[in-house]
Amino acid sequence: MIRGPFPNEWDTSQLSDSRQAYLDAGLSFEEIFGQIQAECHVIGAKVKGYGTPARGEPKNARQVIFLVRTSKQACDLLYNAPDGLRGRYWQSPNHGFVATQFVIRSLQPALMTFAEHNPPVLLGRVADMSIEEIRCSLAIPSAKLWPRERDDDEASLLTEDKLLVPRWLENEQHAQINQGMWRLTPTGSDLEIKGGILGTDGLEYVPNGKRDRSCQIHRFGFT
């Protein structure tokens, strides 16, 4: 089993005392998710089109995106605790992938119940998704979970922070996109669960820049 980061590999010493207290409390990923599961509720769902299809890929593929609200502390723990979601990606790309799939699978019943009673909003001229297509979009490997980065007015919900992760600091110069974005921390309490991009042909499509997403987060803390 791959170990989590030691304190010198995941330094919270520049954070406020209150944040240090809960981030360094030694909570396991399962305990952090337990807080989220106890507090969260689904507040929205939408269907978004495939923004950057490669040559030969369908332009009518789309994905479901759920907005889930929890507490700011639980969101902070998930993102910044040593054994939070990014901490699992720090351990290895596969540890992060498995943790992501665990959360989505655990929340899927609540997501599906919400979708059944609140049909997702269609963003633009995009094909609707049936309940079974939504279920499939959440179940395919490219489905993902991340704190919400922008509000309804597209204003950033990320702010500069003082968490120090030496690996990501050392590697950030090599990131091809979003260089140094690991330094920014979500300030809200919302999570986005994004299903994988699904074509009307029932196939999964993954943008070129996201095909090594787990490895990107492992190396750079962001994608």
Side-chain angles (χ1 to χ4, degrees), residues 98-138:
V98 169
T100 295
Q101 295 302 309
F102 169 78
V103 174
I104 295 174
R105 186 170 60 251
S106 299
L107 295 181
Q108 184 170 328
L111 300 176
M112 295 306 303
T113 297
F114 184 89
E116 289 167 359
H117 293 89
N118 305 272
V121 175
L122 304 180
L123 299 183
R125 299 178 63 183
V126 61
D128 197 1
M129 296 186 79
S130 69
I131 288 297
E132 285 309 310
E133 287 175 321
I134 290 172
R135 194 186 311 277
C136 180
S137 179
L138 290 171

